[in-house]
Amino acid sequence: DARPAVIFDMDGVLVDSAESHFRSWQVLVEEIQDSNIAHSNQPPPKVTRDLFASTFGRQNRDIIPLLFGQVSSERLRILADRKEAIYRDLIRSRPPIVSGAVDLIRGLAEADITLAVGSSGPLANIRLVLEAMQVADLIPTIVSGDDVTRGKPDPQVFALCCERLGVAPERCIVIEDAPVGIEAARAAGTRTIAVLMHHPKEAFIGADLIVQKLTDLTPPMVLSLAESSQKQQHSL
């Protein structure tokens, strides 16, 4: 397929979910402490903002050992599933959709650009947000944390997106808000757009385009990047 494709990260790009994810980790720890499930020989885990910020965008399988120590694969799955259920409960009534996200998705679809989501989060989270945005029909290709065995900055999630889209990586553009996401996309061979949601511009060395916020990004800008023959970093 000669058409370009755009792959959206979910958290921090389409939904401003950082605070809800931070709270969901806190609630999970509180629940475990209240039910005395935590191992008695370990101090209670503490979810600090610094720890959360350093892990945001990574998979639960990478975060849980930092909080709870090494656990069995079954317990890791139980903890991860419960944490994400708490998160969905927190955002269900009013998902914090990023300003400009719906318009950008609709504009890109109208410009005949193929769309996908490549996220470390579980499929249930992604579907909840896309349905709330009323754009699920415009993004048929989703690669979630359920589909991969290695989290960002490993390129697996974006490489699999390109494969499922049937579009060569160099014809794909990844929109990310996290440095590990940009690193993963570059390793997959795609072009990259960084949105400065939670990290400074200096953190995104190597991104092809940097925008302050999603509303600064337009379909013509994306098309221009897709058609450009050289990767050059621009900044708005």
Side-chain angles (χ1 to χ4, degrees), residues 63-227:
I63 300 171
I64 286 172
L66 298 176
L67 288 173
F68 301 98
Q70 292 302 318
V71 297
S72 68
S73 58
E74 175 64 12
R75 179 156 173 75
L76 190 149
R77 183 189 63 78
I78 291 170
L79 291 172
D81 287 350
R82 179 57 190 149
K83 181 266 171 186
E84 297 304 336
I86 294 167
Y87 166 75
R88 288 191 294 274
D89 286 343
L90 288 172
I91 72 163
R92 196 180 310 278
S93 63
R94 187 179 293 180
I97 296 163
V98 171
S99 177
V102 173
D103 288 343
L104 180 60
I105 288 170
R106 294 196 181 282
L108 290 171
E110 289 170 5
D112 205 30
I113 294 177
T114 308
L115 303 177
V117 165
S119 170
S120 298
L123 183 60
N125 294 14
I126 298 168
R127 290 203 184 282
L128 187 156
V129 172
L130 294 182
E131 287 166 10
M133 296 172 75
Q134 299 184 328
V135 296
D137 59 321
L138 302 179
I139 307 180
T141 301
I142 297 172
V143 175
S144 73
D146 303 334
D147 298 311
V148 297
T149 56
R150 301 183 301 277
K152 304 170 187 175
D154 189 278
Q156 186 182 24
V157 62
F158 295 128
L160 187 54
C161 265
C162 297
E163 182 182 320
R164 290 186 179 177
L165 286 165
V167 179
E170 60 269 21
R171 295 287 293 164
C172 292
I173 297 170
V174 169
I175 303 178
E176 263 280 0
D177 74 303
V180 291
I182 292 293
E183 185 180 343
R186 293 185 69 211
T190 76
R191 298 188 180 219
T192 56
I193 298 174
V195 184
L196 303 183
M197 282 286 286
H198 302 291
H199 299 275
K201 175 181 173 182
E202 294 74 28
F204 294 102
I205 296 171
D208 295 297
L209 177 67
I210 297 174
V211 294
Q212 288 286 340
K213 53 190 183 299
L214 206 62
T215 49
D216 293 331
L217 192 58
T218 65
M221 290 166 63
V222 176
L223 277 168
S224 177
L225 180 59
E227 298 304 329

